[in-house]
Amino acid sequence: MSNADGSIDVSEIGELTPPDRTLMGPGPSDVNPRVLRAMSTPLVGHLDPSFVEIMNEVQELLRYTFRTDNQWTIPVSGTGSAAMEAAIGNVVEPGDTMLVPTNGYFGGRMASMARRAGGEVVEVDAPWGEPLEPADVSDALAEHDPDVFGFVHAETSTGVLQPDVPELTAAAHDHDALVIADTVTSIGGVELRVDEWDIDVAYAGPQKCLSCPPGASPLTLSDTAMEKVLSREEEPRSWYLDLSLLEGYWGDDRSYHHTAPITNVYAIREALRLVAEEGIEARWDRHERLAGALKAGMEGMGLEMNAPDEYWLPSLNAVRVPDGIDDGEVCAELLERYDLEVASGLGDLDGEIFRIGCMGYSARPENVIYVVTALGDVLESMGADVDPGAGVSATRDAL
């Protein structure tokens, strides 16, 4: 591509034409055309009065979607992992103890971030693919007396939805621990009530059930959590994600800290407008209904779900890979034949499950029928013991 004199032959770099995929993996999901249109509107400055008004609107829409009145509710500049690091890196101080779960990949990421923040990590154990038991959480809280308790509400690596959230938060508060919830794959897709469930801090990603390109990621903190952040003796290790500094920009002053990702803020504003138009509870119902049809199709063709019904996660369906089938080959073939993205397993479930999203704008009847049809076709062609026709019929009946 580079010439001998260091110049570039621009003719070799054509117009951007990414493939037109149907995104039914663990994220990102398909983006509503309205969100894409919002991203193509003119830039303004990040301190422009018109942008300040947009910031206010985004914060109000985020409060609605999180089901919270928390003043400290913002989109963090970055992907969901930036919101995660902002939560853990600010709340966990050097010398603090954080209790984290072992039942999935993202509990492990919590542990890694807590250690980098100078915290000591202790664990509450549960097998991969199972939720935390409230009794086990209570026992771990009594044994370790942590300052912070983190849990994953919707574990993207296993397809498990954590039930009994109010029991977990009540147990943590009995031990004066703040609660941080990973809601990356639940916000806007399954029931989530930050205030009613007494969650102190919740972070999320925009690219899953909100169907928004990554770049501005939801975060909310209670007054109690912000008091801890603002009274730290030692500054957080990240300047960029220091909430005591970001307070100046997202709080009343609207003073400069960094240049916000303006186009991404436009995008999440429109994505959240779509949530409010649909109604948050209607949106939760839609995800459950359409993912239920997807689940019926998988089981109808003879496949097995990884999570039992009582903690099945509608937005991320973990489906067991049939005997003798290479999951990576199936994913590659779905891309090749159908321009359809699903994903393999992570960590302890690597090679054992397909992760099939049913999120946001991707959670539509035509997409559900498409993924059941395509997966059945590819598996049958590879010699798996499946009945694709029965799967499609079960999906249609459920729809």
Side-chain angles (χ1 to χ4, degrees), residues 243-290:
L243 293 176
S244 69
L245 299 177
L246 283 170
E247 184 191 35
Y249 183 55
W250 284 101
D252 293 335
D253 292 348
R254 301 300 189 195
S255 55
Y256 172 67
H257 176 258
H258 68 266
T259 303
I262 295 151
T263 299
N264 290 100
V265 176
Y266 291 172
I268 199 166
R269 177 186 181 275
E270 189 62 20
L272 293 167
R273 256 179 26 105
L274 285 160
V275 172
E277 283 178 16
E278 184 174 3
I280 190 65
E281 295 191 0
R283 195 176 181 94
W284 296 338
D285 290 344
R286 170 168 63 87
H287 280 80
E288 186 169 8
R289 186 176 71 252
L290 288 165

Side-chain angles (χ1 to χ4, degrees), residues 35-348:
V35 175
L36 295 175
R37 283 199 297 274
M39 296 182 76
S40 68
T41 55
L43 281 189
V44 295
H46 59 286
L47 294 169
D48 188 294
S50 68
F51 191 68
V52 170
E53 183 59 34
I54 289 167
M55 292 165 71
N56 292 335
E57 291 165 348
V58 169
Q59 289 181 280
E60 201 53 45
L61 287 163
L62 277 175
R63 291 184 189 106
Y64 171 77
T65 305
F66 269 128
R67 312 309 294 137
T68 185
D69 292 326
N70 288 342
Q71 177 190 348
W72 246 93
T73 304
I74 67 170
V76 175
S77 300
T79 63
S81 295
M84 182 181 195
E85 189 136 45
I88 295 170
N90 281 272
V91 173
V92 177
E93 299 178 63
D96 278 358
T97 300
M98 182 171 180
L99 179 66
V100 301
T102 64
N103 61 336
Y105 183 88
F106 291 96
R109 184 171 292 184
M110 277 187 167
S112 178
M113 289 187 181
R115 289 191 189 100
R116 285 170 182 251
E120 179 189 338
V121 170
V122 293
E123 294 175 335
V124 53
D125 291 321
W128 272 58
E130 293 185 21
L132 298 176
E133 291 289 343
D136 293 341
V137 172
S138 292
D139 290 347
L141 288 162
E143 179 183 352
H144 301 295
D145 195 29
D147 302 280
V148 181
F149 165 54
F151 76 95
V152 180
H153 183 221
E155 179 51 81
T156 320
S157 64
T158 63
V160 166
L161 180 66
Q162 176 65 48
D164 312 313
V165 171
E167 286 185 56
L168 303 187
T169 58
H173 291 142
D174 284 346
H175 290 268
D176 296 323
L178 289 175
V179 177
I180 299 179
D182 180 320
T183 66
V184 169
T185 307
S186 54
I187 191 174
V190 298
E191 185 179 12
L192 169 65
R193 302 181 185 273
V194 165
D195 284 2
E196 193 177 314
W197 294 353
D198 220 6
I199 295 167
D200 296 294
V201 182
Y203 59 83
Q207 74 277 12
K208 297 184 187 272
C209 298
L210 299 181
S211 282
C212 180
S217 297
L219 174 66
T220 187
L221 296 94
S222 68
D223 287 347
T224 306
M226 271 307 286
E227 281 169 23
K228 185 177 193 301
V229 170
L230 296 176
S231 63
R232 289 175 61 113
E233 292 181 10
E234 188 177 312
E235 293 176 330
R237 296 184 180 181
S238 170
W239 176 90
Y240 184 66
L241 298 174
D242 183 342
L243 293 176
S244 69
L245 299 177
L246 283 170
E247 184 191 35
Y249 183 55
W250 284 101
D252 293 335
D253 292 348
R254 301 300 189 195
S255 55
Y256 172 67
H257 176 258
H258 68 266
T259 303
I262 295 151
T263 299
N264 290 100
V265 176
Y266 291 172
I268 199 166
R269 177 186 181 275
E270 189 62 20
L272 293 167
R273 256 179 26 105
L274 285 160
V275 172
E277 283 178 16
E278 184 174 3
I280 190 65
E281 295 191 0
R283 195 176 181 94
W284 296 338
D285 290 344
R286 170 168 63 87
H287 280 80
E288 186 169 8
R289 186 176 71 252
L290 288 165
L294 172 62
K295 179 172 175 285
M298 295 297 146
E299 293 173 335
M301 78 168 81
L303 298 175
E304 182 187 346
M305 303 298 289
N306 188 57
D309 288 351
E310 60 266 33
Y311 36 87
W312 159 67
L313 172 58
S315 50
L316 195 286
N317 295 269
V319 180
R320 303 292 303 179
V321 177
D323 290 342
I325 297 298
D326 183 301
D327 58 317
E329 287 183 18
V330 173
C331 294
E333 198 62 24
L334 287 169
L335 272 183
E336 180 65 29
R337 281 194 221 173
Y338 288 99
D339 273 324
L340 173 66
E341 180 183 285
V342 305
S344 303
L346 281 176
D348 288 6

